[in-house]
Each structure stands twice: as structure tokens, then as C-alpha cells.
Amino acid sequence: MSDIDLSTGLPIDKGYLECDLPKLLQESVDKMKEVWQALDNGESYPLWDCFYCDLQSTINICETSNLITSEQAWYLREKYLRIERNSSI
């Protein structure tokens, strides 16, 4: 089995889209990882929505400022905001 998508030539594991993120975005991602870990373990995290909104806006800012690609932005939204991309958009 190949680790490369033969139709695109890119790795199947899209983790490479997280490499070299802008510092502010990386900090927001790291905080959201912490939040999801707590919530997924049944812990209370009263300010989770603040960190969620922060990450969402930071992704949007980085994308519209061309600091990350649209592909990276959607990868991050799907993975860390748990937003499903609507294929009709």
C-alpha cells in the first residue's frame, strides 16, 4: 500500500499541512488541542468557546492574509474545529 495519493502525488496523511504555521496560529492550535483533550475526557472547560472562536478567527485571518493556503485552512478547521466542509461550497 502506498503512502502517496497517486492521483495528486501528495502524501495521504495530510499532517504536512500543519508544518511551519505562523506562530499565532500555532499557539491557537495548541490551545485548542488542550481544550479538546479536556472536553473529550469529560472534563469541564468553561471558556472552551473563547478558544474555539479564537482559533476560527486566527485561521481566517491567516488564510485571507495568504499566510496559509485554503487547503491548510480547511484541514485545520476540520481537525481542530471539527467543522465538516460542505463540498458544494
Side-chain angles (χ1 to χ4, degrees):
M1 178 186 262
S2 175
D3 293 342
I4 302 293
D5 181 337
L6 297 177
S7 65
T8 64
L10 296 172
I12 293 172
D13 177 359
K14 302 262 186 218
Y16 68 91
L17 294 171
E18 290 188 62
C19 293
D20 298 321
L21 295 176
K23 183 180 179 187
L24 182 61
L25 180 54
Q26 185 64 61
E27 290 170 354
S28 292
V29 165
D30 291 343
K31 189 62 182 179
M32 203 64 222
K33 286 180 188 178
E34 179 184 316
V35 168
W36 282 124
Q37 183 176 8
L39 293 174
D40 290 343
N41 287 327
E43 299 172 32
S44 176
Y45 212 107
L47 297 176
W48 75 270
D49 57 332
C50 294
F51 297 110
Y52 186 97
C53 291
D54 177 68
L55 178 56
Q56 188 170 40
S57 67
T58 304
I59 291 170
N60 292 343
I61 290 166
C62 289
E63 181 183 17
T64 59
S65 299
N66 293 315
L67 298 174
I68 62 172
T69 65
S70 181
E71 182 182 15
Q72 284 176 294
W74 272 108
Y75 172 83
L76 295 170
R77 288 180 188 114
E78 290 172 340
K79 184 170 182 180
Y80 296 110
L81 298 176
R82 301 179 179 181
I83 294 174
E84 189 174 318
R85 186 174 189 175
N86 184 337
S87 61
S88 67
I89 295 178

